[in-house]
Amino acid sequence: MTEEEKHQRGIEDRKFYAAEQEARFEKQGLATHTPQTEHPSYKLAFQDKDFLLREELRPVRFQLELLKPEMILDEAGVGSTLVMYGSARIPPPESAETALEGAKDLPEDERKVVESLVAKSKYYDEARKLAKMATEKSIIDNGKRQFVVCSGGGPSIMEAANRGASEAGGESIGLNIILPHEQAPNQYVTPYLSLNFHYFALRKMHFLLRARAVAVFPGGFGTFDEFFELLTLIQTGKMKPIPILLFGKDFWSRVVNFEAIAEEGTISKKDLDLFRWCETADEAWKYLCEFYELGC
């Protein structure tokens, strides 16, 4: 009896072929071309892209988009994340002068927009510094990496987050989303942790599944959406409190009147304690360390 035959007779040996093997068998079998084998209905269901993209298969696609990132992050030893939200439009400081120069001949209202964005470039630096600090700390707990930097994978504040982690010699996560206009992952995302999503809902879920702290920088609709959903989850008790580090008090106080919402009674005054105002990476990291008693 050969070794292979002995192995096949083992009690613990798998008695059914794995899907990968079955797919190989099918591919080999397609050397025989018949009307039956060439028809789309003959394809294995999990290899039939047209079938997987059907309207009725949306629940399956939900499950796949939940499962794939979860497995990748688990295999990468990611225990928890420091998530960083913020604008895709704020320029890095090194591009500020060029942006201002290019805005000189624009109509006044457009020029003021550019100037406003350039004024916020300091937050690019703070996001970069915070990501670098978290990565350099290299906290390991229960054999898992903690506070791994995670961004939306795009430009501006997201790029700053991944860039800071990269400069510290560490890995970082990018959760990209397919959009009608192109959004490629920024160059600083660790390639095997560069994940892509079709569903916003599943992407937002993955932002928070491992989050142990969230830094929120000035941003637009996407940042507002992510920030307020996080506040709602903690306010309603669906999620345990974590540090929410809100950068840019001047910006946020101008665009959202938090005090007025509390005064109107639609939230409680204590709900304003769900987040912590920050202006610098040092402030944010200090509060995070105090919250978790890390002794940083």
Side-chain angles (χ1 to χ4, degrees):
M1 183 183 294
T2 66
E3 286 300 316
E4 183 178 349
E5 288 173 329
K6 288 180 182 178
H7 179 68
Q8 288 177 351
R9 292 192 184 188
I11 295 174
E12 303 208 6
D13 179 55
R14 182 182 182 133
K15 301 306 178 186
F16 289 94
Y17 290 110
E20 184 182 2
Q21 292 173 292
E22 292 281 10
R24 227 173 20 245
F25 295 157
E26 187 206 26
K27 188 175 182 180
Q28 293 165 357
L30 290 181
T32 305
H33 295 287
T34 71
Q36 290 77 21
T37 61
E38 292 183 358
H39 196 279
S41 65
Y42 188 74
K43 290 181 181 178
L44 287 168
F46 57 81
Q47 288 195 308
D48 188 342
K49 185 183 292 186
D50 290 334
F51 172 68
L52 290 173
L53 295 178
R54 286 178 59 158
E55 190 76 12
E56 300 91 335
L57 270 289
R58 181 177 286 117
V60 174
R61 294 195 297 274
F62 272 27
Q63 186 175 11
L64 291 173
E65 204 152 277
L66 175 64
L67 190 58
K68 181 182 177 182
E70 181 70 11
M71 291 173 65
I72 288 174
L73 295 177
D74 190 54
E75 289 166 1
V78 176
S80 68
T81 56
L82 166 59
V83 174
M84 303 178 76
Y85 294 145
S87 174
R89 303 185 183 193
I90 295 172
E94 59 263 31
S95 302
E97 190 174 329
T98 302
L100 289 174
E101 185 66 30
K104 281 183 178 179
D105 298 325
L106 292 176
E108 185 179 2
D109 58 337
E110 294 181 29
R111 178 173 50 79
K112 285 185 176 179
V113 168
V114 174
E115 290 171 351
S116 178
L117 287 171
V118 166
K120 296 180 186 65
S121 64
K122 62 183 179 181
Y123 294 117
Y124 182 103
D125 263 348
E126 295 306 324
R128 182 177 169 186
K129 288 175 186 174
L130 180 58
K132 190 173 182 180
M133 292 168 75
T135 305
E136 286 175 340
K137 189 66 178 176
S138 298
I139 298 172
I140 305 292
D141 189 39
N142 290 326
K144 297 279 189 176
R145 294 185 282 168
Q146 307 301 324
F147 301 108
V148 177
V149 170
C150 175
S151 85
S156 191
I157 296 297
M158 296 173 277
E159 175 189 279
N162 299 115
R163 182 176 178 180
S166 177
E167 289 171 343
E171 298 182 335
S172 66
I173 303 161
L175 305 184
N176 274 80
I177 183 85
I178 294 289
L179 299 172
H181 49 86
E182 182 180 356
Q183 182 189 315
N186 68 67
Q187 63 180 310
Y188 301 104
V189 178
T190 301
Y192 84 103
L193 298 178
S194 181
L195 307 171
N196 204 9
F197 291 83
H198 171 62
Y199 299 106
F200 264 110
L202 272 298
R203 178 178 181 247
K204 288 198 293 181
M205 191 171 186
H206 276 291
F207 270 131
L208 298 181
L209 279 174
R210 283 177 163 79
R212 295 300 176 270
V214 177
V216 185
F217 292 83
F221 288 157
T223 303
F224 276 60
D225 177 37
E226 293 154 350
F227 174 42
F228 279 97
E229 181 174 57
L230 173 58
L231 288 176
T232 303
L233 288 168
I234 296 176
Q235 181 208 44
T236 57
K238 291 293 287 182
M239 180 177 176
K240 294 177 182 178
I242 62 173
I244 302 175
L245 312 162
L246 190 57
F247 282 76
K249 189 170 185 178
D250 286 346
F251 169 82
W252 287 105
S253 296
R254 181 165 178 254
V255 298
V256 182
N257 193 332
F258 294 102
E259 295 291 340
I261 302 173
E263 288 169 5
E264 291 290 335
T266 51
I267 64 170
S268 300
K269 190 78 172 175
K270 66 179 182 179
D271 291 332
L272 300 181
D273 296 329
L274 293 176
F275 55 85
R276 179 72 166 243
W277 292 112
C278 298
E279 288 300 323
T280 67
D282 287 328
E283 287 179 87
W285 184 248
K286 182 181 177 184
Y287 176 63
L288 189 154
C289 290
E290 289 172 352
F291 187 95
Y292 288 109
E293 299 180 348
L294 296 177
C296 299

